[in-house]
Amino acid sequence: AQKITQTQPGMFVQEKEAVTLDCTYDTSDPSYGLFWYKQPSSGEMIFLIYQGSYDQQNATEGRYSLNFQKARKSANLVISASQLGDSAMYFCAMREGQGNQFYFGTGTSLTVIP
Amino acid sequence: DAGVIQSPRHEVTEMGQEVTLRCKPISGHDYLFWYRQTMMRGLELLIYFNNNVPIDDSGMPEDRFSAKMPNASFSTLKIQPSEPRDSAVYFCASSLRDVIEAFFGQGTRLTVV
């Protein structure tokens, strides 16, 4: 089974609107972390936001928030007030307490339309 | 801190040649990861180290690939001999401890002709 599933290969959003990028995960480890990374066309991988499995509240970082629904094993990224510079690939990732390797999804390509 | 530093940024080599990619992790980080990214296969974990010790190399595609971490501030990924299908972007990433985010280097774009 896939550890991380991103079902949206591509998304479009109007500038200044909010957008949600979906991510579901699969683990039996009670201790894990969930991450989102942004990869612009220049190629670097930029860490955006982190959610720990024991965190009670959803993580927020500026315009980014992580909608963590533990029972549903989902960790959707919400970007508020989209900007043109948000156009990029977005990767969801998970790191289990046991093993410690990172599992990445296949990514979602976000295009912000002016 | 300067972040994770990879060199070279770009490498073009002929099939059959040896290629060495280098990585300097963030100081104090005790985990180091090597990833390969291609359009077809996405991001693949090749190998990762904890405290300079290789923990899982099951992602290394074949014996042509080898990785070392002689000390806490340096790691290499070597391909010998290189083949055109090795063309990809190779990322190095490091993290401070388990279950915390990893920070990526800028990547090395390898082209084998």
Side-chain angles (χ1 to χ4, degrees), chain A residues 68-82:
Chain A
F68 180 44
Q69 298 188 42
K70 197 168 184 176
R72 300 175 69 174
K73 294 189 174 178
S74 75
N76 299 338
L77 177 70
V78 180
I79 306 175
S80 63
S82 297

Side-chain angles (χ1 to χ4, degrees), chain B residues 33-84:
Chain B
F33 305 84
W34 281 101
Y35 286 91
R36 178 172 67 177
Q37 186 178 34
T38 60
M39 288 293 291
M40 291 296 294
R41 301 174 70 91
L43 268 166
E44 301 174 273
L45 175 67
L46 300 177
I47 186 171
Y48 76 97
F49 296 84
N50 178 217
N51 292 322
N52 313 336
V53 176
I55 303 300
D56 185 350
D57 65 354
S58 59
M60 296 286 262
E62 47 198 274
D63 292 346
R64 297 185 297 107
F65 286 69
S66 63
K68 294 182 180 179
M69 192 164 185
N71 56 61
S73 59
F74 184 65
S75 178
T76 59
L77 178 67
K78 186 177 293 185
I79 308 172
Q80 165 64 18
S82 58
E83 296 183 3

